[in-house]
């Protein structure tokens, strides 16, 4: 079993790849210029990448977000100069209703103000920005990969890294993951859960079910426990979506038995999760 570690990106998340790719394409097409304000609803990983890149590129950034996400992600966005619009979640759970409210708040802002909607859910530049993950995996371990599995939020990272794997000659079975607490892909309905960035309550826009071999749900508590084990047993500090990915990869690897290769991804480093799940209770 292999884990592609993405925590060494500038803000500690694979979202840096996506934000760099999408902003570069928008600037090249003349859709964005210095001084413009961009806006996005985000749990704070994309938001931190956007806040970081905006500060370098002379852009302004408004994040529509919520207290339901890791507090340190909100602080990271603020530290890079982002303006935050907060939508309250009563019990800090991530629910389909919360994502809908974040979306509506963002759309209202885009209609009423002079802001550019970044659109991580539909921009055609999102999926290709992740291709490098797939080619880097193959250049490190070769193309013999039996399964590639990862949890989905927008689905951009799973599909893009899958594209990169196939372009580099690998042909793994591709498995989309979600928490059991929000089993949209496996049982057709969303629910409240506590894994930042994934399982938004709808079928992710980038997820092409024709290219997905299986969807699988795992208990979020197992994901949290796997995060703690990763830190204590492997020295890998990562967030809760990574815990879900690694827990699933372990499960799949034990089903397949010896002689097979299962690959997954560590989406980010765990620094932004201190003070909340999975490293202390909230
Ligand atoms: C921590 C974390 N893990 C996983 C994901 C899912 O990535 P994607 O939106 O590419 O499916 C996200 C997305 O926001 C995230 O923030």
């Amino acid at each position: 079993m292999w884990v592609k570690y993405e925590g060494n990106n500038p803000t500690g998340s694979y979202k840096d790849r996506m934000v760099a790719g999408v902003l570069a394409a928008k600037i090249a097409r003349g859709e964005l210029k210095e001084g413009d304000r961009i806006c996005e609803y985000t749990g704070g990983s994309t938001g931190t990448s956007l806040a970081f890149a905006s500060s370098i590129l002379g852009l302004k950034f408004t994040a529509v977000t919520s207290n339901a996400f890791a507090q340190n992600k909100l602080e990271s966005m603020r530290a890079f100069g982002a303006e935050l619009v907060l939508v309250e979640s009563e019990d800090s759970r991530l629910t389909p209703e919360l994502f809908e409210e974040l979306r509506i708040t963002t759309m209202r802002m885009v209609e009423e103000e002079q802001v550019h909607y970044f659109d991580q859910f539909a921009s055609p530049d999102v999926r290709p920005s992740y291709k490098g993950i797939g080619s880097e995996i193959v250049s490190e371990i070769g193309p013999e990969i039996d399964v590639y599995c990862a949890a989905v939020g927008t689905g951009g990272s799973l599909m893009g890294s899958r594209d990169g794997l196939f372009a580099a000659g690998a042909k793994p079975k591709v498995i989309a993951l979600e928490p059991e607490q929000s089993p949209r892909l496996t049982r057709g309905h969303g629910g409240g859960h506590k894994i930042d960035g994934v399982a938004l309550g709808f079928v992710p826009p980038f997820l092409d079910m024709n290219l997905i071999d299986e969807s699988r749900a795992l208990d979020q508590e197992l994901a949290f426990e796997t995060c703690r084990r990763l830190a204590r047993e492997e020295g890998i500090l990562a967030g809760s979506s990574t815990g879900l990915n690694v827990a699933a990869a372990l499960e799949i690897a034990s089903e397949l038995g010896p002689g097979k290769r299962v690959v997954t991804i560590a989406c980010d480093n765990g620094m932004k999760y201190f003070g909340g799940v999975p490293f202390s209770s909230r």
Side-chain angles (χ1 to χ4, degrees), residues 42-171:
T42 163
S45 295
T46 295
T48 301
S49 299
L50 268 171
F52 159 74
S54 297
S55 78
I56 296 169
L57 296 170
L59 300 165
K60 299 178 195 116
F61 171 51
T62 301
V64 178
T65 188
S66 169
N67 62 309
F69 301 109
Q71 188 60 29
N72 288 342
K73 292 190 182 176
L74 308 189
E75 296 302 342
S76 305
M77 290 191 278
R78 283 200 188 96
F80 284 120
E83 178 191 280
L84 265 56
V85 174
L86 283 175
V87 174
E88 285 290 310
S89 161
E90 243 175 52
D91 52 5
S92 287
R93 281 189 323 151
L94 303 166
T95 58
E97 294 74 29
L98 176 67
F99 289 113
E100 184 55 10
E101 215 180 318
L102 292 170
R103 192 188 65 78
I104 290 168
T105 307
T106 307
M107 291 311 136
R108 198 177 304 131
M109 193 177 291
V110 171
E111 268 167 35
E112 290 171 4
E113 299 171 32
Q114 284 287 328
V115 292
H116 178 97
Y117 179 37
F118 179 78
D119 201 3
Q120 62 167 321
F121 294 94
S123 164
D125 307 310
V126 167
R127 182 167 163 175
S129 306
Y130 288 110
K131 269 183 94 171
I133 292 177
S135 49
E136 287 163 29
I137 290 171
V138 172
S139 72
E140 286 291 323
I141 67 167
E144 290 83 29
I145 299 168
D146 295 283
V147 173
Y148 181 65
C149 65
V152 292
T154 66
S157 55
L158 176 63
M159 297 313 299
S161 47
R162 174 250 167 237
D163 294 343
L165 284 168
F166 277 76
K171 291 184 181 55

Side-chain angles (χ1 to χ4, degrees), residues 3-7 14 236 238 242 245-246 264-269:
V3 180
K4 170 79 165 84
Y5 184 69
E6 284 288 301
Y14 63 7
I236 297 175
T242 300
N245 289 351
V246 173
T264 192
I265 189 156
C267 313
D268 56 6
N269 75 40

